[in-house]
Amino acid sequence: MRLKSYRFFDISKDHNYFDEEANRRIMRKVADKCYLPMNQLLLDLIHEFKGEFKVSFSISGTAMDQFEMYAQDVLDSFKRLADTGCVEFLAETYAHSLSALKSPEEFKNQVERQAKKIEQLFGQKPKVFRNTELIYSNHIGWMVNQMGYKTMVTEGADKVLDWRSPNYLYQNEHVPELKLLLKNYKLSDDIAFRFSQSSWDAWPLTADKYVDWLNSISWTEEIVNLFMDYETFGEHQWHETGIFDFMYHLPRLVLSRSEFKFCTPSEASAQLQVRGALSIDNPISWADLERDLSAWLGNHIQDDAFDSLYRLEEKVKRIDDKDIQRDWLYLQTSDHFYYMCTKFFSDGDVHKYFNHYNTPYEAFINYMNVLTDFEERVNNYIKALDAKPKSASKLNGAPKVQAPVKAKSLAKAKPAAKAKPVAKAKAKPVAKPKPKVAPKTKAKVAPKAKAKVVAKAKPKAVAKAKPKSKPVVKPKAKSTTTTTKKKK
Amino acid sequence: MKKKRLRALMFGWEFPPQISGGLGTACYGLVSGLIQHNVDVLFVVPKLYGKEDTDKFRFVDANKVAVNFDHPSFNENLKKISYLEINSRIIPYVSPEEFATSQESTFSDVRINNTAKTLQYTFTGKYGADLIKEVQQYAMVAMQIARDNEFDIIHAHDWLTYQAGIVAKEISGKPLVVHVHATEFDRSGEHVNQDVYNIERAGFHAADTIIAVSRLTRRILIDRYDVPPHKVVVVHNAVVPRSKVIYKKENLLDKQIVTFLGRITFQKGPDYFVEAAKKVLEQLPDVHFVMAGHGDMYIKLVERVAELRMSSRFHFTGFLNSAETDKMYGMTNVYVMPSVSEPFGITPLEAMRSGVPVIISNQSGVAEVLKYVIKVDFWDTNILADSICGLLNYPKISKTLAEEGYKEVDGLKWEYAALRVKEVYQETLNQLR
């Protein structure tokens, strides 16, 4: 949810912070280039392979709000996918926020709220959690497990895996009930980032070649999790690059030429044995070379903006106003902090691609202007609340509080909702067999939804004692590459 | 026995409404005052933009002047002007053959007419990358202007026009007054541009009289440029009167606001404002600070403010146009000008004219003329913070300063300053007699 250009002289006068025009335009563009054609392709593949092809999505509440506002057709197409039974929707924070790093309470609220929205729109309760930007640590894992989730997706970062392979099911060393599916960033990024890079020695990438790589994975390894921005398909990689063609062929080649099957994260978690435990004190993420939080937090401007925002949390929680609550959510979106990143050297190019501000400082000043106005509105509410002690004890009995002007509500954001804890997911999969898991791809939706497609091994695989499953995904490729991916 | 009117040939670089700093405003006020005192002023600018008041003022547009290069003194003056080894050419390099064959040549900034034997320059009047070249070309034009006009005295404002003044003096034999609104030390601290310094120094030594806008500036001329003290007189700036405009506050309605407004550069001391803000917020956590303007320290200060974790109380507005500047004063409770080196300093006067109490540094020329302000040393952020808190906490002091300050500024008229300048002209002419 992009902020509009908001100047100092707008403070106290303008309470509409978001660039609705741009948000609508971007959503429409991405819907036409990516969501609609890719959803259709996935739907066709699911039908064609009659249950053998599966994917999963992780979509933020903000993205769902935007679908509702600007792209009902996208929402409908996701619903059609949900109806196939071959698509799993994951839980995440409502606002694609970094709340897990700051406020356990806010984190929980947002997860509950997003899960409720998923259930309302797609008729399934999320059972697997994936945090914003795949941010994960022991503590975050613990919080997630406390909310009832037994499986979480995170980055297969080298710095935590060291010599180990991401291609197994892991668990949180301190909270063994929480299983971890690790993104295979090499194979994921081959599609998400390198697919159309002509300087890449494996370019052009074909589904055949990709399946060769899958087949070269040691037979002892059990799953390949593919997770990527959903905009990979048609937006980051344009239609002309052949990405849709690749995706058309991949499943058929995986199913015909490899031992991999496709499965959903829940199925993978249920069917696979835990092969190792991870202890991760400092949060990891999927971003940049560092795979840490430095894309969003860590420099002065990011930290000051972040702290200034969450300093308002206590007050915001007392206010029963849907505009305030909606803005509170949208102001937490991680992108705002991403735009303030000053690491220009190693990952500056990627950052630039995703950043419409000229400089991080411009992004910061704009954000702080908005936040100053938001703080003033919040304080006015609180003042009004405190001023009328006797009257109705219920907050909602006090609608007369002269509140700040009302911004027009975008999103039909769901009212504060005290959602219930969300999925209790207990995946009980069955299968004792050790199936072969398939990979999962995840895509992240541009607006900030991240959809993740998980492809996983075929589910039916029942017990077959050999654990060598391999993931799945097979592309079709028209290109031939040779990359190197060697997995141990 | 009617007294003959004094005629001044004045060289400036900017003139309202097209201005980028205080220089143009000061020229406007001064010339208006001189006219009131019956001085005829012919004002030379690099470029006229079309919005200038040509009924009231007499201008020469340097863009329109055709310089005769066939004149005997041309080469001699050219040599003088280009004595600086600078990577710029006053006239384009053209081989003798080319020069002979082409009747008319046009270069990016020079038109040569071989029939009429003239050169004509194109000036931007900006402060761009080719500034030094433009400054020299402006001096070439001065040569022609000095030949074509009658005047009693030459008056040149700041280094941009000193060479023009020197050339005009050479040609005409009339006395030169240079007017110092700022020196290179004010603009750049100790990292002076040597070319600029050299031009300034040549101007000071060629001048018959120097007018400095403050005692502070006079001191710099004496200490850093070896100017003989008797040559420098001080004439403080004034303000162009304007009816009192108080804007209604529209932003941060119930907050107290402390404002810095100016270029965010070393000279203006913005970093001291930031450090003082931190100290104020420790006492008064709900005060808001605004830094309006732009400059080369902008990013550094945004970072510093964030590092001090006060971004939710400290706002950067970027550059403000004049309507926004008025708005800004309208919502300001305390205006601070913590300049490290300020030859004069016009913004506190603008703030006072809007009824805002003001804190200025002792290191500003304007401190020499104001009584109803708080004066602090720029480096003493403790005292600066205390002063801000004092004005915010004690409305009576603020009110007194605002009211008395308004009257005080109202008394600083260009009419008076211009009269003093006229006297300087006469004294200079008398000395030479």
Side-chain angles (χ1 to χ4, degrees):
Chain A
M1 201 56 94
R2 273 189 189 182
L3 294 174
K4 67 184 183 189
S5 165
Y6 192 95
R7 300 194 60 214
F8 174 77
F9 293 105
D10 294 326
I11 295 170
S12 311
K13 293 166 71 180
D14 182 357
H15 310 307
N16 294 314
Y17 307 144
F18 303 98
D19 190 339
E20 286 187 60
E21 213 292 303
N23 287 323
R24 176 192 309 274
R25 178 170 34 83
I26 293 167
M27 172 55 78
R28 226 27 269 181
K29 184 185 83 167
V30 180
D32 294 336
K33 287 173 68 178
C34 164
Y35 306 147
L36 292 173
M38 191 59 186
N39 279 3
Q40 187 60 50
L41 175 59
L42 294 176
L43 189 64
D44 293 345
L45 290 168
I46 287 168
H47 287 147
E48 178 179 353
F49 295 104
K50 302 184 183 358
E52 304 276 304
F53 177 65
K54 305 190 172 188
V55 297
S56 128
F57 291 98
S58 180
I59 307 178
S60 71
T62 308
M64 290 185 276
D65 289 344
Q66 290 197 320
F67 294 154
E68 289 177 325
M69 285 187 290
Y70 308 132
Q72 188 63 44
D73 49 351
V74 170
L75 201 54
D76 293 340
S77 75
F78 275 115
K79 284 177 177 167
R80 283 194 292 278
L81 282 167
D83 291 342
T84 63
C86 292
V87 175
E88 178 171 6
F89 290 86
L90 307 190
E92 64 166 278
T93 60
Y94 195 90
H96 197 259
S97 72
L98 305 171
S99 53
L101 300 167
K102 193 73 181 180
S103 165
E105 189 188 343
E106 178 63 20
F107 181 48
K108 183 156 177 279
N109 284 346
Q110 284 198 26
V111 174
E112 288 172 355
R113 195 164 162 172
Q114 187 265 1
K116 193 170 163 196
K117 181 127 189 156
I118 290 283
E119 188 173 3
Q120 171 202 320
L121 292 178
F122 305 118
Q124 58 175 261
K125 272 189 187 174
K127 297 189 191 135
V128 171
F129 184 79
R130 83 96 187 185
N131 197 19
T132 307
E133 318 286 3
L134 295 184
I135 291 169
Y136 175 80
S137 66
N138 291 335
H139 179 65
I140 291 171
W142 176 79
M143 287 192 290
V144 168
N145 184 250
Q146 289 291 107
M147 286 186 245
Y149 293 95
K150 302 270 196 287
T151 308
M152 192 167 163
V153 180
T154 186
E155 175 75 6
D158 293 337
K159 65 181 181 183
V160 299
L161 285 172
D162 195 5
W163 55 272
R164 292 172 292 190
S165 161
N167 301 336
Y168 293 99
L169 184 64
Y170 287 84
Q171 67 189 13
N172 181 316
E173 187 173 310
H174 312 280
V175 187
E177 316 83 85
L178 184 74
K179 296 176 186 171
L180 300 174
L181 290 165
L182 304 183
K183 173 188 152 200
N184 183 312
Y185 72 81
K186 184 77 178 64
L187 284 167
S188 299
D189 293 351
D190 286 337
I191 299 173
F193 295 153
R194 289 180 284 271
F195 183 78
S196 60
Q197 234 171 58
S198 55
S199 58
W200 182 30
D201 60 1
W203 183 86
L205 179 61
T206 62
D208 262 315
K209 190 186 301 185
Y210 199 82
V211 171
D212 287 344
W213 295 343
L214 289 173
N215 284 334
S216 71
I217 292 171
S218 158
W219 64 270
T220 60
E221 297 183 43
E222 301 178 322
I223 182 167
V224 172
N225 295 306
L226 301 181
F227 182 100
M228 58 200 80
D229 280 350
Y230 201 33
E231 295 76 31
T232 295
F233 307 101
E235 168 64 24
H236 303 341
Q237 310 293 349
W238 295 354
H239 184 276
E240 296 72 29
T241 63
I243 189 73
F244 290 110
D245 211 24
F246 176 86
M247 287 305 294
Y248 170 81
H249 287 93
L250 188 61
R252 67 197 70 243
L253 289 184
V254 167
L255 292 172
S256 66
R257 278 194 43 214
S258 81
E259 290 186 67
F260 284 98
K261 306 165 185 203
F262 292 92
C263 72
T264 64
S266 288
E267 290 166 350
S269 176
Q271 295 168 6
L272 294 177
Q273 298 289 317
V274 169
R275 302 293 184 192
L278 296 176
S279 180
I280 301 174
D281 289 328
N282 297 319
I284 57 168
S285 79
W286 74 334
D288 302 344
L289 297 175
E290 298 90 341
R291 296 295 198 277
D292 61 9
L293 303 179
S294 57
W296 307 278
L297 296 175
N299 72 28
H300 292 317
I301 59 178
Q302 290 169 322
D303 289 352
D304 197 18
F306 193 65
D307 292 348
S308 297
L309 173 68
Y310 282 96
R311 218 178 284 136
L312 305 178
E313 180 182 355
E314 286 302 304
K315 288 177 180 172
V316 170
K317 290 206 184 326
R318 293 178 56 200
I319 298 172
D320 182 21
D321 176 280
K322 75 181 192 337
D323 292 337
I324 291 281
Q325 293 301 333
R326 182 204 58 235
D327 292 345
W328 166 244
L329 279 175
Y330 291 172
L331 288 173
Q332 292 179 63
T333 300
S334 66
D335 294 22
H336 301 310
F337 305 98
Y338 187 83
Y339 299 143
M340 303 174 197
C341 181
T342 47
K343 299 189 298 180
F344 284 124
F345 303 111
S346 46
D347 293 294
D349 288 346
V350 179
H351 283 253
K352 267 206 182 113
Y353 179 86
F354 290 105
N355 191 346
H356 57 287
Y357 290 103
N358 292 323
T359 71
Y361 302 95
E362 192 181 300
F364 170 70
I365 297 297
N366 204 58
Y367 185 84
M368 291 310 301
N369 285 342
V370 167
L371 195 60
T372 301
D373 183 75
F374 183 71
E375 178 174 2
E376 189 175 50
R377 286 164 67 203
V378 166
N379 285 337
N380 286 343
Y381 260 107
I382 295 298
K383 227 180 281 173
L385 287 178
D386 292 345
K388 54 166 35 204
K390 44 181 80 222
S391 121
S393 55
K394 266 312 177 32
L395 292 185
N396 43 8
K400 54 205 11 257
V401 195
Q402 92 232 52
V405 179
K406 100 172 343 162
K408 69 199 13 193
S409 75
L410 319 172
K412 48 208 16 226
K414 32 223 5 275
K418 51 226 351 257
K420 72 206 1 215
V422 176
K424 56 217 358 249
K426 55 196 4 194
K428 59 194 15 228
V430 174
K432 61 234 321 354
K434 32 236 344 272
K436 355 278 282 19
V437 180
K440 76 187 16 174
T441 2
K442 114 190 302 150
K444 124 196 292 198
V445 178
K448 68 219 339 228
K450 320 285 275 316
K452 122 198 291 163
V453 186
V454 177
K456 224 66 170 300
K458 9 196 68 198
K460 61 220 343 252
V462 178
K464 100 177 351 167
K466 233 82 165 307
K468 75 177 0 194
S469 49
K470 297 23 209 352
V472 167
V473 180
K474 80 195 348 24
K476 113 212 291 41
K478 57 236 325 305
S479 23
T480 349
T481 329
T482 23
T483 315
T484 106
K485 72 210 4 257
K486 70 184 16 153
K487 14 241 11 276
K488 69 186 325 9
Chain B
M1 71 167 268
K2 212 163 142 200
K3 221 164 158 196
K4 204 172 135 236
R5 288 171 73 100
L6 258 175
R7 295 164 303 179
L9 174 62
M10 195 175 281
F11 292 100
W13 200 257
E14 50 181 54
F15 202 84
Q18 190 71 35
I19 59 167
S20 70
L23 180 58
T25 312
C27 287
Y28 180 92
L30 177 62
V31 177
S32 300
L34 286 170
I35 290 172
Q36 266 181 286
H37 293 296
N38 300 315
V39 177
D40 289 340
V41 179
L42 183 61
F43 197 89
V44 183
V45 283
K47 172 175 178 157
L48 279 178
Y49 290 82
K51 297 256 180 73
E52 294 83 0
D53 183 353
T54 48
D55 292 336
K56 178 171 175 187
F57 304 105
R58 289 170 58 224
F59 293 103
V60 175
D61 182 346
N63 266 312
K64 302 263 168 63
V65 176
V67 181
N68 181 354
F69 60 74
D70 211 21
H71 193 278
S73 68
F74 179 86
N75 280 322
E76 186 190 335
N77 281 293
L78 174 62
K79 234 176 282 163
K80 274 194 197 125
I81 290 164
S82 53
Y83 72 94
L84 293 169
E85 295 287 325
I86 295 167
N87 288 330
S88 66
R89 285 192 298 274
I90 299 180
I91 53 176
Y93 177 76
V94 185
S95 68
E97 298 76 32
E98 271 179 289
F99 210 95
T101 55
S102 65
Q103 276 310 295
E104 194 153 337
S105 316
T106 303
F107 298 85
S108 62
D109 55 350
V110 186
R111 286 150 286 155
I112 298 172
N113 184 329
N114 271 318
T115 314
K117 307 281 185 205
T118 59
L119 293 172
Q120 219 171 325
Y121 298 104
T122 302
F123 293 94
T124 66
K126 304 268 174 58
Y127 298 88
D130 279 341
L131 183 56
I132 294 230
K133 183 173 76 174
E134 272 200 34
V135 160
Q136 293 181 325
Q137 292 176 339
Y138 184 79
M140 296 296 290
V141 170
M143 200 190 293
Q144 192 67 39
I145 294 171
R147 278 201 286 265
D148 294 348
N149 294 278
E150 301 249 316
F151 48 89
D152 305 307
I153 196 157
I154 304 157
H155 189 152
H157 293 278
D158 268 4
W159 72 273
L160 300 152
T161 70
Y162 291 168
Q163 284 188 299
I166 294 170
V167 169
K169 179 178 175 176
E170 292 275 337
I171 301 258
S172 66
K174 303 293 184 186
L176 171 65
V177 173
V178 305
H179 200 135
V180 188
H181 299 264
T183 68
E184 182 61 7
F185 292 97
D186 301 309
R187 287 182 293 265
S188 310
E190 294 304 313
H191 310 285
V192 303
N193 178 316
Q194 192 63 41
D195 291 336
V196 174
Y197 177 85
N198 290 346
I199 290 174
E200 286 181 325
R201 198 183 163 92
F204 299 150
H205 288 273
D208 297 280
T209 305
I210 302 171
I211 296 174
V213 294
S214 62
R215 293 194 290 276
L216 195 74
T217 300
R218 181 174 185 271
R219 197 70 246 164
I220 292 174
L221 299 182
I222 294 165
D223 293 346
R224 313 299 281 262
Y225 293 86
D226 289 328
V227 171
H230 68 269
K231 260 174 76 168
V232 197
V233 299
V234 173
V235 180
H236 288 111
N237 283 344
V239 281
V240 177
R242 205 183 71 165
S243 51
K244 187 171 186 174
V245 187
I246 305 283
Y247 274 77
K248 214 177 106 220
K249 185 171 181 174
E250 294 179 330
N251 313 97
L252 294 166
L253 303 183
D254 58 348
K255 303 296 184 197
Q256 291 183 304
I257 296 177
V258 182
T259 300
F260 170 104
L261 196 157
R263 282 179 293 114
I264 305 180
T265 58
F266 155 84
Q267 180 195 350
K268 303 293 182 182
D271 38 345
Y272 299 96
F273 182 73
V274 169
E275 300 305 319
K278 178 63 179 172
K279 290 171 181 171
V280 172
L281 286 172
E282 284 162 9
Q283 305 299 317
L284 305 170
D286 240 3
V287 172
H288 285 250
F289 292 82
V290 175
M291 181 165 284
H294 228 296
D296 58 12
M297 287 174 74
Y298 175 74
I299 285 178
K300 183 181 157 199
L301 292 183
V302 171
E303 287 268 6
R304 178 62 179 156
V305 165
E307 183 181 5
L308 293 170
R309 294 296 185 269
M310 55 181 187
S311 305
S312 65
R313 296 291 179 274
F314 197 114
H315 313 286
F316 291 86
T317 67
F319 180 80
L320 301 187
N321 62 33
S322 74
E324 289 167 338
T325 301
D326 288 336
K327 249 192 204 178
M328 196 65 243
Y329 288 133
M331 72 176 86
T332 296
N333 297 86
V334 177
Y335 179 79
V336 180
M337 186 187 73
S339 293
V340 169
S341 176
E342 187 73 70
F344 192 75
I346 207 80
T347 59
L349 303 180
E350 292 174 354
M352 292 163 82
R353 205 167 52 179
S354 302
V356 179
V358 161
I359 301 173
I360 58 179
S361 70
N362 284 320
Q363 290 68 36
S364 66
V366 72
E368 296 167 14
V369 297
L370 292 176
K371 282 205 296 280
Y372 291 97
V373 295
I374 293 181
K375 302 174 194 175
V376 303
D377 288 323
F378 72 84
W379 63 81
D380 197 337
T381 54
N382 286 326
I383 296 212
L384 176 53
D386 285 350
S387 304
I388 292 170
C389 289
L391 288 177
L392 295 175
N393 284 335
Y394 305 108
K396 281 206 168 155
I397 302 180
S398 283
K399 190 154 176 280
T400 304
L401 287 185
E403 286 172 0
E404 295 302 320
Y406 179 78
K407 288 185 216 158
E408 187 172 25
V409 171
D410 210 33
L412 299 177
K413 297 194 193 308
W414 274 111
E415 193 185 334
Y416 310 144
L419 184 58
R420 181 73 191 107
V421 168
K422 184 182 179 185
E423 288 166 8
V424 170
Y425 288 169
Q426 280 158 341
E427 287 158 14
T428 304
L429 289 166
N430 289 341
Q431 280 166 20
L432 297 179
R433 205 156 280 159

